[in-house]
Structures are given as C-alpha cells and as structure tokens.
Amino acid sequence: MKAVIFDMDGLIIDSEPLWYEAAVECFSPLGIKLTPSLYADSVGLRTKEFVAYWFEQYQIDLTKSEETIHAINEVVVDKIQKKGEELPGVHQVLEMLKKKEFAIGLASSSPSRLIEIVLKKLNIANYFDAFSSAEFLPFGKPHPQVYLDCASLLNIKPVNCFCFEDSFYGMIAAKSARMKCVVVPHNDVIHQPRWNAADIILKSLIEFDEEQLKYIINGAN
C-alpha cells in the first residue's frame, strides 16, 4: 500500500444532514417529500443522479432538473460554510498516514468548488496530494472512475491504494477500482450485511489505529 484515498461528505465533514436539509428545501416547492430514510438510500450519489431519481419518482418535468441541481449545490455550499463540522478522528488519521509517508488523495461526488471549500474550512488541505471530483464525469459512484482518476493523479496503481468511505455506493466504487476499503457507515445503517464487502468496518475514524493499518497492508496475516 502506497496511497490512501478519502471520500469527503459524511466521512471527513458532517455534511450529509446538510445535504438532506438542502434537498428538502429545494424539493418541497416541487411536491417531492423526502424522508431521512429515503435520503439514506441515495447517499453517495452525485446531485445529478440524486435529482434525476426523485424527478422520475414524482414525474417532475426534467427541464427543471438543472436549476434544481444548481439550487441544491448552492444551498449546501452556504450551509457547510456556516455550520459544517469536522467528523471525529479526521486529523488523527491524516496525521498518522502522513507520518507513514502515504500519498493522500480525496475522491468525492461533490463539485470541485465544494471540495476546496471543505479542505480550507477544516484546515486540512496541506495533507492532500491530489483530489478528484465526479462532477463532470460520465458516471459517478458506484462507478469507480473518480477513484481511478485520483490514483492516476497520485501516480499510484489502484491496487496499491486503500480508501475510506461512508456510503454503500462509495464502497462499491472503491472495490470496483480494485482498492481495499475501510468503511465508516452511519450508525443507523452499520448493522446492514451489505457492508461486509468492505475490508474493515468502523463506527468512527477514531477507531482506525496502527493495528487497523497493519491489517489493511498485510491482511489477516
């Protein structure tokens, strides 16, 4: 293992509740009723696919999708700038991996603009050697391209990378890229068997220590 790649929303910053708030605010005028449980099933998707899915469910005119995508992204940017908070263990894990001389990247479904805002807000930009966004890719997560792009930017083969993810779609993207994956699901869904596809399942990044790193590098041996 030579590199580690992080997801962002819900892993580095506690932004998923803010994405949910933004979606509710922008969907309500259109008659779309989004519950927390329904939203949870779509965590990890780009805003583009997220909007397309719900527009199809409620048979909303697709000509309104672009303005809705833009509105959600703008509301999220505002909310994150005002009240986005770092999740526990982020600095601890980044510092440990930096000392171990891992190349560190970030692969997110969020727009590049939001990635830059989060890295600056949390004062962690100096830890990252590269980041990639799925914003303009033909396909977002669970397609592996955003992870493959980040590995390419780091100049590391995908099989020599491992990832941190919090969403099911993100985990599938990482594994499809032939990377090992440490998943940190939300407490409400961590009990679900689908997470068994990951190499390690954690309740929080705080739990990731030298032993966990050794397991990722060497496996069960």
Side-chain angles (χ1 to χ4, degrees):
M1 291 295 141
K2 298 179 180 179
V4 55
I5 301 175
F6 287 80
D7 173 50
M8 186 178 77
D9 291 291
L11 180 81
I12 288 177
I13 189 164
D14 190 17
S15 55
E16 291 301 348
L18 306 182
W19 277 101
Y20 172 68
E21 289 177 13
V24 169
E25 289 177 20
C26 296
F27 278 170
S28 291
L30 299 171
I32 299 175
K33 298 178 181 179
L34 189 63
T35 65
S37 60
L38 290 173
Y39 173 78
D41 289 336
S42 56
V43 168
L45 293 177
R46 294 182 296 185
T47 315
K48 179 179 179 180
E49 283 95 2
F50 175 76
V51 169
Y53 175 80
W54 288 107
F55 270 40
E56 182 179 354
Q57 294 298 308
Y58 280 80
Q59 298 182 334
I60 306 294
D61 185 354
L62 291 177
T63 60
K64 298 180 180 179
S65 62
E66 285 300 322
E67 62 184 83
T68 305
I69 292 167
H70 177 75
I72 291 175
N73 285 338
E74 288 303 305
V75 172
V76 166
V77 166
D78 182 63
K79 287 179 179 290
I80 285 178
Q81 287 178 320
K82 289 178 179 177
K83 55 182 181 179
E85 295 184 358
E86 179 180 304
L87 283 161
V90 173
H91 268 84
Q92 167 190 313
V93 173
L94 286 172
E95 191 64 27
M96 177 177 71
L97 294 169
K98 201 70 173 179
K99 287 181 178 178
K100 298 287 186 182
E101 298 185 347
F102 279 86
I104 301 178
L106 187 150
S108 175
S109 297
S110 289
S112 295
R113 175 189 172 205
L114 185 55
I115 294 172
E116 292 171 349
I117 287 171
V118 170
L119 295 182
K120 182 178 180 180
K121 179 179 178 62
L122 301 185
N123 194 28
I124 56 174
N126 60 305
Y127 287 104
F128 291 89
D129 300 296
F131 72 80
S132 58
S133 165
E135 181 180 11
F136 298 116
L137 294 178
F139 302 100
K141 299 175 184 179
H143 194 284
Q145 191 61 56
V146 69
Y147 273 111
L148 296 173
D149 286 353
C150 193
S152 179
L153 289 170
L154 294 170
N155 199 29
I156 305 290
K157 293 180 180 179
V159 293
N160 297 129
C161 301
F162 75 96
C163 305
F164 285 94
E165 265 288 352
D166 72 297
S167 76
F168 178 72
Y169 290 122
M171 176 187 70
I172 296 303
K175 297 300 286 186
S176 297
R178 297 185 300 146
M179 301 178 182
K180 290 186 176 181
C181 183
V182 180
V183 70
V184 190
H186 191 276
N187 289 337
D188 291 343
V189 296
I190 195 171
H191 64 281
Q192 297 175 351
R194 61 180 179 170
W195 304 112
N196 292 333
D199 296 276
I200 294 177
I201 305 171
L202 303 177
K203 293 180 180 179
S204 168
L205 279 178
I206 294 174
E207 296 179 349
F208 191 80
D209 56 18
E210 297 277 353
E211 285 301 312
Q212 303 283 1
L213 180 60
K214 182 179 178 182
Y215 180 85
I216 281 290
I217 294 173
N218 302 318
N221 297 327

